Amino acid sequence: MVRIAITSEDIHPRESEFITMILNRGWDFVHLRHPNTSLSDMKCLLDSIPQKLHSRIRIHGHFELLSSYNLGGLHLNRRCPEAPATYRGNFSQSCHSFEEIRDIIDPQTDYVTISPVFDSISKKGYRSQFGLEELNLQNKRIRTSVNMKIIGLGGITPENARSALDAGLDGFAVLGYLMSAHDPEMLSARLDEFDQI
């Protein structure tokens, strides 16, 4: 089971502390998703996270940081749809349909996110595109043509994460439920809930 945390658009006041806690609790990756953040602010954020954890951080933009930091890869999405021509590391991609997953042919893609699996917590009005039965059926069909991991994203909470896994997904990515925590104590309690899955 792959567990990924994705940051909110804006940098949380205690984000480096949150990221450190999440990764120290055994989550596989944290994705830095800060579309409007300056390069210098991204550098400050990365500099405030222990270097030993950098290999489990993926970035959604500011790909030039890859030359200065030993990061765990990059994530492609509609805003940043292509990796730099010289990049040879791993990457993941955002998908919103199984057709999009089927169209990915790059062997460097080690996993994709499919969303929204459930109604989004962080994006109001962003409704689920799949019923769990359909998700399971589509997932089974596509496994004959792709071998990358498929990670559920969108509205994931401790109460529904097991349903996403039972539908055959390889893991889940959490944004709103974790990053809306007000302080480390609340975040720790929410991570405890996910540990029960």
Side-chain angles (χ1 to χ4, degrees), residues 59-78:
I59 52 176
H60 286 216
H62 291 305
F63 294 156
E64 60 268 40
L65 292 168
L66 293 162
S67 63
S68 306
Y69 295 87
N70 181 32
L71 300 178
L74 54 84
H75 185 82
L76 303 179
N77 53 36
R78 289 180 181 153

Side-chain angles (χ1 to χ4, degrees), residues 2 27 53 66 75 77 91-92 97 116 125 127 133 145 152-153 167 175 186 196:
V2 178
W27 286 54
L53 301 176
L66 293 162
H75 185 82
N77 53 36
F91 56 82
S92 46
S97 71
R127 314 278 302 170
E133 283 184 29
S145 58
L153 169 64
L175 196 167
M186 180 183 285
Q196 305 308 311

Side-chain angles (χ1 to χ4, degrees), residues 121-140:
I121 295 170
S122 60
K123 297 179 183 177
K124 297 302 177 199
Y126 193 42
R127 314 278 302 170
S128 170
Q129 301 299 307
F130 315 95
L132 288 172
E133 283 184 29
E134 179 195 355
L135 188 67
N136 194 2
L137 179 64
Q138 294 276 5
N139 186 49
K140 284 179 180 173

Side-chain angles (χ1 to χ4, degrees), residues 113-197:
T113 59
I114 184 81
S115 67
V117 175
F118 303 105
D119 294 349
S120 176
I121 295 170
S122 60
K123 297 179 183 177
K124 297 302 177 199
Y126 193 42
R127 314 278 302 170
S128 170
Q129 301 299 307
F130 315 95
L132 288 172
E133 283 184 29
E134 179 195 355
L135 188 67
N136 194 2
L137 179 64
Q138 294 276 5
N139 186 49
K140 284 179 180 173
R141 284 182 183 157
I142 203 166
R143 295 298 177 161
T144 61
S145 58
V146 302
N147 62 0
M148 67 194 82
K149 292 183 176 173
I150 302 173
I151 309 299
L153 169 64
I156 300 286
T157 66
E159 289 75 32
N160 62 26
R162 173 51 57 193
S163 298
L165 297 172
D166 289 346
L169 299 180
D170 298 298
F172 51 79
V174 183
L175 196 167
Y177 191 77
L178 290 180
M179 292 303 166
S180 63
H182 301 299
D183 52 48
E185 292 74 24
M186 180 183 285
L187 176 62
S188 181
R190 291 182 177 188
L191 291 169
D192 288 343
E193 293 177 286
F194 279 107
D195 286 343
Q196 305 308 311
I197 296 169

